Amino acid sequence: AFVSILKNNTSRNGQVHVVRDNKKIVAYSLIYIKDHIAVYLVDKVGYISDLYVLPKYREHGLSSQLKREAVNWFKSKKMKCV
């Protein structure tokens, strides 16, 4: 069975989300807030840098779960663009 996503609060502008099966890391995402990007009309953008699921664990909704967690975190930071 999959354990809940563990959130590593590496900074106030970024997080690492990890999904474990027992003690083994089977999926992760790296997310952060980018600010002052010249090509966007908004000051800050929520950015999913990396998202990976081991092949054996795909088709179980883990990437969707990681994306939902990312969007929820961005919303908690008042981000409007992801």
Side-chain angles (χ1 to χ4, degrees):
F2 300 118
V3 175
S4 298
I5 291 179
L6 301 173
K7 297 173 189 173
N8 178 3
N9 295 324
T10 54
S11 78
R12 62 188 170 126
N13 288 329
Q15 286 196 332
V16 178
H17 293 177
V18 176
V19 179
R20 295 180 188 240
D21 183 8
N22 293 317
K23 293 185 179 184
K24 180 180 180 180
I25 295 174
V26 298
Y28 74 93
S29 66
L30 306 175
I31 63 173
Y32 61 94
I33 297 170
K34 286 184 166 185
D35 53 353
H36 307 298
I37 303 169
V39 296
Y40 295 114
L41 296 176
V42 294
D43 286 337
K44 296 182 180 182
V45 175
Y47 187 73
I48 300 173
S49 171
D50 292 336
L51 192 153
Y52 182 77
V53 179
L54 288 173
K56 177 181 173 183
Y57 293 87
R58 294 178 185 168
E59 303 298 325
H60 295 285
L62 297 180
S63 64
S64 295
Q65 185 180 0
L66 285 166
K67 287 184 276 186
R68 270 193 308 277
E69 287 291 326
V71 168
N72 289 339
W73 183 76
F74 289 132
K75 284 181 180 178
S76 77
K77 295 291 188 176
K78 310 291 188 234
M79 300 302 305
K80 294 182 179 169
C81 295
V82 177

